[in-house]
């Protein structure tokens, strides 16, 4: 099965159009000819964002990510968050053109399938069609362990209650996405709706359903005990890692 794009048409709501334009203008002004193209994913380009609850997710593609100074980018983000309080936060991922084209099952997947181009030439169109397979699922999760370790560390060391809740919500979402990637051969599509992800995991994963329901509940309401959450999250990741390793071993045995 070939993966289809999550967002086929940009439908930004009127409340967010000025913000998106301002973000793009600010980034282009700050970094001038360093930018190849800019992308969005999530609820804003889909037209389903909720004021004061939704965040903004951008991806910048450039020749060399070192050309984009994070401190200068952070100042743009902070300024726009003050001007547009309807946003909860602004996240920006930076990758190179080479990342997208040389890693089709990782960065190529992200830009081609998850994101939609809001400025410049869509480099995702140069990525070959992505076929759902064990090889793709393993490649897709190459950086999952590092991401999980980073979030786990940040959460364990967070002292501010609001930051803890944000990390718990983000950690829950990341683990649900990781579990969902394991069932892509069953669903045939990449979902970005958390309820559909959860239900597919319950249908096709041999994981304790209570763990999945707990993760989803924490995603909705992250005001939970830290030690209990980390313990449950570790159980989920252990299942994920074992399943992924078995998938990788099965793939390798074919060569």
């Amino acid at each position: 099965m070939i993966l289809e794009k999550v967002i086929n048409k940009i439908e930004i709501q009127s409340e967010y159009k000025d913000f998106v334009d301002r973000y793009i203008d600010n980034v282009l002004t700050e970094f001038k000819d360093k930018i190849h193209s800019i992308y969005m994913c999530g609820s804003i380009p889909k037209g389903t964002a909720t004021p004061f609850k939704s965040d903004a997710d951008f991806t910048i593609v450039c020749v060399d990510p070192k050309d984009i100074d994070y401190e200068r980018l952070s100042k743009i983000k902070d300024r726009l968050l003050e001007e547009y309080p309807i946003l909860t936060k602004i996240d920006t991922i930076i990758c190179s053109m080479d990342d997208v084209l040389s890693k089709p099952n990782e960065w190529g997947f992200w830009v081609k399938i998850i994101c939609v181009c809001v400025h410049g030439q869509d480099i995702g169109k140069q990525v070959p069609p992505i076929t759902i397979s064990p090889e793709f699922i393993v490649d897709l999760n190459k950086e999952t362990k590092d991401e999980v370790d980073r979030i786990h560390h940040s959460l364990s060391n967070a002292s501010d209650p609001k930051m803890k809740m944000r990390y718990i919500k983000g950690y829950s979402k990341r683990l649900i996405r990781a579990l969902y990637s394991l069932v892509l051969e069953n669903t045939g599509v990449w979902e970005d709706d958390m309820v559909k992800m959860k239900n597919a995991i319950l249908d096709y994963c041999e994981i304790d359903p209570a763990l999945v329901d707990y993760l989803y509940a924490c995603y909705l309401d992250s005001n939970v005990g830290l030690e209990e959450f980390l313990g449950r999250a570790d159980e989920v990741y252990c299942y994920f890692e074992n399943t992924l390793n078995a998938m990788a071993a099965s793939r390798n045995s074919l060569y």
Side-chain angles (χ1 to χ4, degrees):
M1 282 179 284
I2 303 295
L3 270 178
E4 299 294 332
K5 199 170 185 67
V6 171
I7 304 172
N8 290 310
K9 182 181 179 183
I10 302 174
E11 298 185 3
I12 300 173
Q13 296 141 279
S14 59
E15 302 98 311
Y16 297 94
K17 286 183 177 178
D18 184 61
F19 156 71
V20 172
D21 289 341
R22 288 286 306 283
Y23 177 93
I24 293 171
D25 288 344
N26 273 255
V27 168
L28 293 178
T29 298
E30 186 70 31
F31 300 106
K32 298 183 173 62
D33 58 348
K34 307 294 184 183
I35 305 293
H36 172 269
S37 44
I38 300 174
Y39 304 78
M40 292 194 76
C41 64
S43 59
I44 291 180
K46 288 178 66 179
T48 59
T50 302
F52 306 103
K53 290 186 178 181
S54 297
D55 54 15
D57 296 294
F58 292 92
T59 295
I60 293 174
V61 176
C62 53
V63 174
D64 186 353
K66 292 179 182 178
D67 290 334
I68 311 300
D69 183 82
Y70 274 94
E71 186 174 343
R72 289 156 62 190
L73 192 61
S74 182
K75 288 180 180 178
I76 293 174
K77 177 199 72 174
D78 293 341
R79 185 166 63 247
L80 291 177
L81 281 174
E82 287 187 8
E83 295 179 25
Y84 299 92
I86 61 171
L87 296 161
T88 57
K89 62 188 177 83
I90 302 170
D91 287 331
T92 303
I93 296 171
I94 302 172
C95 66
S96 71
M97 297 169 65
D98 183 63
D99 285 333
V100 175
L101 299 176
S102 66
K103 301 175 181 178
N105 287 350
E106 299 164 65
W107 284 109
F109 160 79
W110 178 256
V111 171
K112 183 180 184 70
I113 305 299
I114 303 297
C115 296
V116 61
C117 186
V118 292
H119 171 78
Q121 294 184 337
D122 186 359
I123 196 172
K125 292 181 178 179
Q126 299 180 44
V127 177
I130 296 175
T131 302
I132 301 172
S133 65
E135 180 181 9
F136 163 68
I137 295 169
V138 171
D139 286 347
L140 181 63
N141 285 290
K142 279 184 177 177
E143 297 182 6
T144 298
K145 185 180 188 307
D146 289 340
E147 293 173 10
V148 166
D149 287 346
R150 176 179 54 78
I151 300 173
H152 193 293
H153 177 77
S154 297
L155 178 55
S156 300
N157 291 279
S159 56
D160 179 65
K162 288 185 177 180
M163 287 303 298
K164 283 184 180 180
M165 291 177 65
R166 179 177 291 183
Y167 282 131
I168 288 174
K169 180 181 178 72
Y171 198 0
S172 301
K173 183 177 182 179
R174 185 66 189 88
L175 288 174
I176 290 172
R177 287 185 61 194
L179 289 175
Y180 182 76
S181 72
L182 299 177
V183 303
L184 278 174
E185 288 189 290
N186 301 101
T187 65
V189 296
W190 182 269
E191 292 285 0
D192 64 351
D193 181 287
M194 296 300 287
V195 174
K196 291 181 179 179
M197 279 190 175
K198 179 192 69 133
N199 290 339
I201 293 165
L202 292 173
D203 286 341
Y204 300 114
C205 272
E206 296 179 1
I207 189 174
D208 182 352
L211 288 174
V212 181
D213 288 332
Y214 178 81
L215 269 188
Y216 183 70
C218 291
Y219 167 74
L220 295 178
D221 181 3
S222 49
N223 187 20
V224 297
L226 180 58
E227 287 188 17
E228 179 186 10
F229 173 80
L230 288 175
R232 298 282 187 91
D234 286 347
E235 286 186 67
V236 172
Y237 183 74
C238 184
Y239 169 85
F240 164 80
E241 187 172 49
N242 288 338
T243 305
L244 190 70
N245 287 341
M247 193 177 291
S250 176
R251 181 192 70 173
N252 292 336
S253 69
L254 298 176
Y255 295 95

